[in-house]
């Protein structure tokens, strides 16, 4: 089962106060552990609120701080201390990384996002063809405005042209006036990756025939 693609902003002030109230102190190093964006960790098409793990308690390792929200809802993101799920899978290393009472699938049953997997395959194939490492980060002048990867609500620049969708940064677009960050939704990045893989396969077949 794939993970949900819902994402939202981190209420940093509320998170700081929740951590301070929970364990009585927050150091400067602790602030770096707070995620930059919230990304739902539940399975795709789950029931109820979205959820993302925010903080591991130092004083209470059986519980963790989670953020809960509803996409498009008027209510603000809420923070809740929840116990860890105690379920374990058939394999010895399989333990659930979600909270107790979460909907449907356990953590070990969930896979990454389809668009990220498609882009990873695409970049891997390009790396092999080029014979040199694919760049892991964009050049400084084309850094995306939302750092740390993941998904943000916005407009898809590719085929569908949809608005208010979960989109991810796929690279800069260069025009005479400068560079602009380009975003696309999961469906369109998946389609783009499939087209790229088809083209790579076609080029490889032509290379074999010409030998």
């Amino acid at each position: 089962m794939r993970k949900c693609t819902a994402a939202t902003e981190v209420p940093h002030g509320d998170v700081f106060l929740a951590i301070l109230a929970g364990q009585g102190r927050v150091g400067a190093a602790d602030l770096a552990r707070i995620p930059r964006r919230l990304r739902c960790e539940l399975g795709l098409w789950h029931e109820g609120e979205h959820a993302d793990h925010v903080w591991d308690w130092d004083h209470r390792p059986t519980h963790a701080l989670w953020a809960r929200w509803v996409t498009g809802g008027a209510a603000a993101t809420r923070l809740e201390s929840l116990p860890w799920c105690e379920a374990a899978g058939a394999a010895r290393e399989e333990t659930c990384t979600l909270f107790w009472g979460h909907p449907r699938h356990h953590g070990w049953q969930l896979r990454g996002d389809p668009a990220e997997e498609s882009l990873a395959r695409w970049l891997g194939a390009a790396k092999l063809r080029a014979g040199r490492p694919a760049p892991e980060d964009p050049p400084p002048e084309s850094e995306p405005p939302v750092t740390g990867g993941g998904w943000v609500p916005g407009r898809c620049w590719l085929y569908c042209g949809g608005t208010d969708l979960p989109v991810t940064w796929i690279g800069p677009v260069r025009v005479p006036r400068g560079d602009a960050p380009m975003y696309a939704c999961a469906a369109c990045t998946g389609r783009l990756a499939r087209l790229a893989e088809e083209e790579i396969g076609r080029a490889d077949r032509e290379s074999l025939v010409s030998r």
Side-chain angles (χ1 to χ4, degrees), residues 147-169:
T147 58
W151 298 83
V152 295
R155 180 180 62 179
C156 178
W157 285 42
L158 289 180
Y159 312 104
C160 72
T163 58
D164 197 24
L165 296 172
V167 293
T168 189
W169 183 82

Side-chain angles (χ1 to χ4, degrees), residues 40-197:
C40 185
E41 296 188 29
L42 302 176
L44 198 61
W45 303 308
H46 62 81
E47 302 92 349
E49 298 173 301
H50 300 296
D52 190 10
H53 169 255
V54 175
W55 189 264
D56 291 321
W57 295 120
D58 295 334
H59 67 295
R60 200 179 185 189
T62 58
H63 288 60
L65 185 65
W66 288 78
R68 311 294 302 274
W69 75 96
V70 176
T71 300
T77 300
R78 65 186 184 89
L79 301 168
E80 188 175 9
S81 182
L82 298 170
W84 289 106
C85 179
E86 298 178 355
R92 295 180 62 182
E93 68 275 7
E94 289 178 340
T95 56
C96 186
T97 56
L98 301 175
F99 54 89
W100 177 262
H102 62 81
R104 295 192 183 182
H105 304 85
H106 292 292
W108 71 81
Q109 297 172 312
L110 300 176
R111 294 188 291 160
D113 182 80
E116 291 182 354
E117 292 178 357
S118 295
L119 286 173
R121 291 196 302 270
W122 178 20
L123 291 173
K127 175 181 176 180
L128 291 174
R129 289 190 68 212
R132 61 179 183 275
E136 296 181 357
D137 298 307
E141 67 272 16
S142 59
E143 284 283 352
V146 179
T147 58
W151 298 83
V152 295
R155 180 180 62 179
C156 178
W157 285 42
L158 289 180
Y159 312 104
C160 72
T163 58
D164 197 24
L165 296 172
V167 293
T168 189
W169 183 82
I170 61 173
V173 176
R174 179 155 295 176
V175 295
R177 292 182 58 188
D179 291 352
M182 184 177 184
Y183 289 84
C185 68
C188 289
T189 50
R191 180 182 174 187
L192 182 63
R194 287 192 296 271
L195 291 173
E197 289 173 349

